[in-house]
Amino acid sequence: MSSNLESVLGRLESSSYRLSVDHGLIDILVGTVLVAFGLMLHADLGYMPVIVFFVGATAYPSARRRLIDPRIGHVRLHADRVAEIKAWKWLTFGVLLTAIFGVLALRALGWIDYPESAVPMIVTGCLALALAIAAWLFGIWRGFVWAAILFAGGVIEWRFGLANGLSWYFSGGLVVLAGLLMLARFMRANPPDAGDTDDV
Amino acid sequence: MTSDRESGAHPLGDVDRLVHEPARLLILSQLYVIKACDFLFMQKQTGLTKGNLSSHLTKLEDAGYVEIIKEFAGKRPRTLLRLTPSGRQAFSNHVASLREWMANVPNQP
C-alpha cells in the first residue's frame, strides 16, 4: 500500500513535470543553439551561439506564456524540485566545460595526442555527452537521440573531411524540425482554453 | 490498552469524508506533489469539468484545505490553487488512516 501510494504520488509529480516540458519548445531552442554552433564553426561567426543563447533565454519564457500556458495551464513545482533542476543545469554546463577544456588541456600538456583536424569532432563529442547527461537528468529521453545524431554527424564530418559545422547544421535542423512537429502536435491536442480561467 | 476492534472503533470511522471523496482526493493529491498550479492545469490533470472542479475547490477552500489566489499573468486573470498547511496535514492524516486500515486487511480472502 505505502509503496503503491508513493508510486502514485511520484507518477503525479512526474506527469506534472512532463506536461510542462513535453511541448517541443525546448527542442526548438536546443536545435537553434546547435545551428548557431554550426554557424560559428562553418561561417566563423564566433558570437552567434552567445546571441542565440541570450535571445533564446529571453524568448523561451515569452513563447511559453503565449503558446503553452493558455493550453495546459501553469504549474509551479516544489522548491526542492526547482533547486534540483537548477543544480542539474549547472552540472550539465560543468560537464560540458570540463570535457572540452579537459581534452584540450590534456593535449596541450602532451598527455594525449590527436590531430588538429579532430578538434571540432572532439568538441562535438563533448557537447553530445553534455546533451546526453542533460537528457538523463531531466528525464527527456529523446535528448539521447539528439546526442547520438550530433555525435554521429561529428564523426562523419571528421572522417570524410567535410567542412566544419555541416553536421551541426544537420543535427540542429533535425532537432528544430522535430521540435516544430512536436509543438504542432501539442497545439492540436491541447486547444487554447476558450473560457475565462477565473472560474472559482 | 484495547485494540480498535475490541473497543468497537473502526479504523476508518474517523476518516475525513471531505478528503475521502475521489475527486477531492485527486485534487489534494495533485496539489500535494507541487507548489501551486492554476485552474486550467488542475482541470487537465484531473479530467474534471469546470463546474465540477469549481464546486470541489469551493468545498476544499471553505474547509481551509486549499487556498485560491486570484492574480494576473500579463493581462489574463489566473486562479492559482495551493494546498494550505492544514490541507497538507489533512491529506497526510488521511493517507495514514488508509495505511493503517490496509495494514490490517488480510492478504488472503
Side-chain angles (χ1 to χ4, degrees):
Chain A
M1 169 71 179
S2 343
S3 64
N4 276 350
L5 190 75
E6 305 314 319
S7 137
V8 166
L9 291 176
R11 276 207 303 275
L12 261 181
E13 204 272 344
S14 171
S15 88
S16 305
Y17 168 67
R18 295 222 67 81
L19 196 60
S20 67
V21 295
D22 275 351
H23 41 63
L25 275 186
I26 294 171
D27 306 75
I28 294 170
L29 180 64
V30 169
T32 311
V33 170
L34 294 182
V35 172
F37 268 99
L39 281 170
M40 180 182 80
L41 293 166
H42 187 234
D44 208 19
L45 299 174
Y47 53 85
M48 205 44 120
V50 181
I51 289 178
V52 167
F53 181 79
F54 282 108
V55 170
T58 317
Y60 180 81
S62 165
R64 223 197 117 88
R65 254 196 320 274
R66 284 165 192 275
L67 297 173
I68 310 302
D69 287 358
R71 288 175 159 81
I72 57 160
H74 173 77
V75 62
R76 291 178 195 164
L77 301 171
H78 273 305
D80 48 354
R81 178 72 147 155
V82 173
E84 191 180 59
I85 289 171
K86 199 178 275 184
W88 289 347
K89 283 181 188 166
W90 281 110
L91 179 66
T92 307
F93 193 57
V95 165
L96 175 65
L97 289 185
T98 309
I100 292 175
F101 288 111
V103 171
L104 296 177
L106 287 177
R107 182 169 182 251
L109 290 168
W111 291 6
I112 56 171
D113 194 28
Y114 48 82
E116 191 70 33
S117 63
V119 170
M121 193 271 283
I122 288 168
V123 172
T124 307
C126 293
L127 197 83
L129 174 71
L131 207 54
I133 289 173
W136 175 60
L137 289 173
F138 290 96
I140 302 175
W141 308 119
R142 60 189 181 277
F144 285 113
V145 180
W146 306 152
I149 290 171
L150 180 65
F151 184 64
V155 172
I156 291 168
E157 182 184 285
W158 173 64
R159 186 73 186 80
F160 294 99
L162 304 175
N164 287 341
L166 285 186
S167 68
W168 294 72
Y169 291 149
F170 172 72
S171 45
L174 209 62
V175 176
V176 169
L177 183 67
L180 286 171
L181 290 174
M182 195 182 289
L183 183 62
R185 200 175 54 183
F186 170 86
M187 287 168 81
R188 232 187 358 256
N190 300 284
D193 185 48
D196 190 357
T197 54
D198 197 6
D199 292 297
V200 189
Chain B
M1 180 186 265
T2 55
S3 71
D4 284 344
R5 190 172 292 202
E6 284 164 351
S7 67
H10 194 281
L12 283 183
D14 56 351
V15 139
D16 187 341
R17 287 169 192 275
L18 192 76
V19 178
H20 193 63
E21 198 282 331
R24 288 194 287 270
L25 189 58
L26 189 55
I27 294 168
L28 290 174
S29 307
Q30 177 61 54
L31 288 175
Y32 188 79
V33 297
I34 56 172
K35 187 177 174 189
C37 71
D38 68 4
F39 189 90
L40 179 59
F41 188 87
M42 181 60 81
Q43 207 192 331
K44 289 269 172 192
Q45 285 291 83
T46 56
L48 297 170
T49 62
K50 272 187 185 178
N52 204 358
L53 177 58
S54 183
S55 134
H56 286 304
L57 282 172
T58 304
K59 283 179 188 159
L60 290 168
E61 187 189 25
D62 290 345
Y65 290 169
V66 169
E67 192 182 358
I68 297 172
I69 305 152
K70 308 277 187 179
E71 62 173 29
F72 276 89
K75 288 179 182 171
R76 274 176 75 94
R78 182 157 67 192
T79 305
L80 206 63
L81 315 170
R82 195 162 46 196
L83 206 57
T84 61
S86 66
R88 187 164 290 275
Q89 188 58 53
F91 180 77
S92 300
N93 290 345
H94 184 71
V95 167
S97 300
L98 290 181
R99 276 189 180 139
E100 189 190 335
W101 183 68
M102 285 302 289
N104 293 321
V105 172
N107 287 329
Q108 299 296 322

